[in-house]
């Protein structure tokens, strides 16, 4: 097994793009940021003055629901696949070192 290189992830993502990553095409087609005002209004997160862990971004959580629906996934399977698949991470805007919502959060 060879040692990981600096550009390995980018090369793998480019290969996925070349193979026709459907989630990448979906991201180009749908402006998920357009949903932010409605999501912010519906969720009405507190300002955080009472403490606690900060909530995940509402657009991220909405995109997770899209992934779940498109793939008919349980919360547990969704958590696993977000951690496992580069295509899911790219669609969600997550890097390898970013925190992923657990199944209970989903």
């Amino acid at each position: 097994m060879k040692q990981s290189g600096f550009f390995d992830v980018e090369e793998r993502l480019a290969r996925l793009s070349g193979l026709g990553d459907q989630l990448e095409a979906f991201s180009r087609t749908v402006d998920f940021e357009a949903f932010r005002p409605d999501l912010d209004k519906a969720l009405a997160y507190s300002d955080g003055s009472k403490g606690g862990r900060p909530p995940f971004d509402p657009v991220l959580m909405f995109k997770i629901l899209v992934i779940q629906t498109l793939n008919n996934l349980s919360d547990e399977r969704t958590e696993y696949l977000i951690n496992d698949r580069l295509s899911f991470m790219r669609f969600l805007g997550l890097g390898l070192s970013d925190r992923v919502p657990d199944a209970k959060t989903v």
Side-chain angles (χ1 to χ4, degrees):
M1 184 154 97
K2 74 176 198 163
Q3 184 175 353
S4 296
F6 187 69
F7 296 105
D8 286 349
V9 172
E10 288 80 11
E11 290 173 7
R12 181 67 56 97
L13 288 172
R15 177 133 171 87
L16 289 172
S17 296
L19 293 170
D21 183 355
Q22 293 177 351
L23 289 175
E24 183 182 31
F26 194 44
S27 273
R28 284 193 309 267
T29 306
V30 178
D31 177 16
F32 286 96
E33 284 299 319
F35 295 99
R36 184 174 297 282
D38 291 329
L39 292 169
D40 286 337
K41 183 178 177 183
L43 295 171
Y45 287 140
S46 70
D47 62 3
S49 62
K50 293 183 179 180
R53 176 174 267 179
F56 282 97
D57 178 67
V59 174
L60 168 72
M61 297 306 293
F62 179 63
K63 289 169 98 176
I64 289 173
L65 291 175
V66 169
I67 285 175
Q68 273 192 302
T69 303
L70 290 173
N71 296 284
N72 195 29
L73 301 172
S74 69
D75 294 343
E76 290 77 16
R77 190 70 181 156
T78 300
E79 177 188 1
Y80 174 81
L81 289 174
I82 291 170
N83 281 291
D84 184 58
R85 290 191 179 177
L86 287 174
S87 60
F88 281 18
M89 283 187 266
R90 175 170 53 186
F91 176 70
L92 297 171
L94 297 172
L96 291 174
S97 62
D98 289 331
R99 192 168 63 106
V100 173
D102 64 12
K104 299 295 183 208
T105 302
V106 173

